[in-house]
Amino acid sequence: MKRRTIFLALLLASVTGVGQTPAAVEITAEPHHHLLLENQYVRVFRAEVAPGDATLMHRHGHDYVFVSIGASDVLNQVEGKAPAPLKMKDGETRFAAGPFSHIARNQASTPFVAIAVELLQDQAAHATPPPKWDEERGLHVLQGGTRDIMFVQDGVRVSEIELQPGAVVPSHHHKGPHLVVAVTDVDVRSDVEGKAPMPAHINAGDVKWVQGGYTHTVTNTGKQEAKFVTLEFQ
């Protein structure tokens, strides 16, 4: 009788899935992830998780860069691994290699908000490494700001820019397109060679895709510090 009871319990567990890790859903089907932008280079999602809440087990099929909007305290449960704490500062930017599946549980008393940028050309970059950038790491101290080239992954150069009111990023050229992720509210003026000045406003946590092929300066026209992350593509 005891053996029969144990057998029935095991059978019930196998049928109901008790004790098993839930099957991963695609990131597009995970309700905490909201698609902001998609093109041939990237898919950009905004992840929002309330205090104490968690995402579903979901799959990241590509390498991706993620930016924390606000400080975060997350328990990261990667499928097949023990849960691990993940604490990030406001604006902190990291890279994660895909594919993998995980659950993100918000352990903070404030909402967890992050921008996840999937690099859709990662497999091509793995097969044929893209040309190197002229500079792939370095901190540039500006008058009233900084430009920190943090890393290059899959041929994509990721930089963090901080500008005090009135500060300027000196003239530079964008051969290819780039993505801007606003960490704070950003009010800037882009002075493109041969064109009229172009003001722009981006709310914190929003993104903007910009085509390449131009040279410009960027000025913080706002009354507060502007902080944003750029992903440059060749």
Side-chain angles (χ1 to χ4, degrees):
M1 178 63 71
K2 184 176 181 180
R3 290 181 179 178
R4 183 180 178 185
T5 302
I6 294 174
F7 172 77
L8 290 174
L10 292 174
L11 179 62
L12 181 61
S14 67
V15 172
T16 60
V18 173
Q20 297 180 2
T21 301
V25 301
E26 290 300 319
I27 188 172
T28 51
E30 206 295 304
H32 297 84
H33 287 76
H34 311 285
L35 182 64
L36 300 180
L37 183 151
E38 182 175 7
N39 57 34
Q40 67 185 36
Y41 297 94
V42 297
R43 283 197 308 182
V44 184
F45 296 88
R46 179 185 174 96
E48 298 185 56
V49 184
D53 196 7
T55 67
L56 302 178
M57 176 70 74
H58 61 282
R59 174 179 169 80
H60 289 276
H62 294 276
D63 296 349
Y64 72 101
V65 173
F66 58 107
V67 183
S68 182
I69 308 300
S72 61
D73 182 1
V74 170
L75 188 65
N76 186 32
Q77 182 182 345
V78 176
E79 189 173 31
K81 298 182 179 181
L86 176 62
K87 294 185 178 182
M88 299 177 66
K89 299 176 182 178
D90 182 24
E92 189 170 343
T93 303
R94 298 192 186 184
F95 170 82
F100 69 94
S101 299
H102 75 141
I103 295 171
R105 185 175 302 279
N106 184 7
Q107 301 190 113
S109 59
T110 55
F112 165 61
V113 180
I115 302 299
V117 183
E118 287 190 325
L119 307 178
L120 300 184
Q121 298 187 0
D122 55 344
Q123 294 302 317
H126 296 169
T128 306
K132 286 188 173 294
W133 289 87
D134 57 345
E135 185 178 14
E136 299 195 342
R137 182 72 180 94
L139 176 63
H140 296 253
V141 179
L142 314 174
Q143 289 188 351
T146 57
R147 176 180 178 235
D148 184 6
I149 302 173
M150 296 184 290
F151 57 84
V152 173
Q153 290 286 353
D154 299 337
V156 181
R157 184 165 68 176
V158 181
S159 302
E160 179 188 86
I161 294 133
E162 297 184 12
L163 298 174
Q164 296 299 322
V168 179
V169 180
S171 181
H172 57 284
H173 183 72
H174 290 284
K175 181 179 178 181
H178 66 282
L179 178 75
V180 179
V181 180
V183 176
T184 66
D185 289 349
V186 173
D187 287 285
V188 294
R189 185 186 71 242
S190 175
D191 292 290
V192 179
E193 287 186 358
K195 296 185 178 181
M198 293 182 290
H201 173 81
I202 313 175
N203 293 321
D206 284 350
V207 302
K208 183 176 179 62
W209 182 260
V210 187
Q211 296 296 341
Y214 66 93
T215 301
H216 75 149
T217 62
V218 177
T219 303
N220 179 7
T221 58
K223 297 180 179 180
Q224 298 179 344
E225 179 188 62
K227 183 175 181 178
F228 52 97
V229 173
T230 62
L231 285 75
E232 298 175 272
F233 296 80
Q234 301 191 58

